[in-house]
C-alpha cells in the first residue's frame, strides 16, 4: 500500500538553496544521481528553465493535495522530470529519469 509523505516547504526551500548548482542547470553533478538534492525555485523560473534548458514540455498534472500539484515534464529525448508546485509559488524537482514511455489504455476485453 502506498503512503503519502509530505515534506514541509521550509525544509525543502532550505535544502534547495545550495542545490541550484545541480546538473540540471549545466554544472557537473557531485553524486551519481541525476539530482543529488531537491531543487526548488519560484514556479515561473522553474518553468522557464525546464523549457529553455531542457526543451521540456508539460505532459501531465495531478492534484497531490489542496496546496500541491504534481507535474510531469518530458523532453524530446524521453527524459522526464517530476515537479511539485506549491500554492506558495515555489516549485521543486522531486525526481528525474530517462526513457519515459507512454502507455495507451488497453481494452480489458
Amino acid at each position: 500500500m502506498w503512503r503519502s509523505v509530505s515534506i514541509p516547504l521550509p525544509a525543502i526551500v532550505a535544502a534547495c538553496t545550495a542545490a541550484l548548482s545541480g546538473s540540471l542547470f549545466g554544472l557537473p553533478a557531485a553524486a551519481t544521481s541525476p539530482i543529488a538534492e531537491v531543487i526548488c525555485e519560484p514556479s515561473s523560473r522553474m518553468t522557464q528553465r525546464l523549457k529553455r534548458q531542457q526543451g521540456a514540455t508539460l505532459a501531465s498534472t495531478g492534484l497531490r493535495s489542496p496546496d500541491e500539484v504534481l507535474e510531469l515534464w518530458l523532453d524530446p529525448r524521453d527524459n522526464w522530470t517530476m515537479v511539485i508546485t506549491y500554492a506558495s509559488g515555489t516549485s521543486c524537482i522531486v525526481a528525474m529519469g530517462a526513457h519515459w514511455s507512454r502507455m495507451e489504455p488497453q481494452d480489458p476485453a
Side-chain angles (χ1 to χ4, degrees):
M1 180 153 100
W2 291 94
R3 186 173 63 130
S4 176
V5 177
S6 185
I7 302 170
L9 183 58
I12 292 174
V13 173
C16 294
T17 304
L20 290 176
S21 63
S23 63
L24 173 67
F25 303 115
L27 299 174
T32 58
S33 170
I35 56 171
E37 299 178 41
V38 176
I39 298 170
C40 297
E41 290 193 307
S43 297
S44 60
R45 193 144 138 228
M46 178 71 72
T47 297
Q48 289 173 0
R49 285 181 183 249
L50 288 166
K51 287 180 176 181
R52 186 180 67 245
Q53 291 183 352
Q54 290 187 306
T57 57
L58 184 60
S60 59
T61 64
L63 192 61
R64 185 167 182 259
S65 76
D67 295 328
E68 300 173 354
V69 174
L70 182 71
E71 301 175 346
L72 177 67
W73 291 80
L74 301 175
D75 76 12
R77 297 168 309 280
D78 292 326
N79 295 317
W80 57 270
T81 304
M82 192 171 291
V83 175
I84 294 181
T85 297
Y86 297 91
S88 66
T90 298
S91 291
C92 300
I93 295 174
V94 294
M96 296 174 75
H99 308 295
W100 184 266
S101 62
R102 292 181 173 96
M103 306 297 281
E104 294 298 322
Q106 300 289 323
D107 185 359

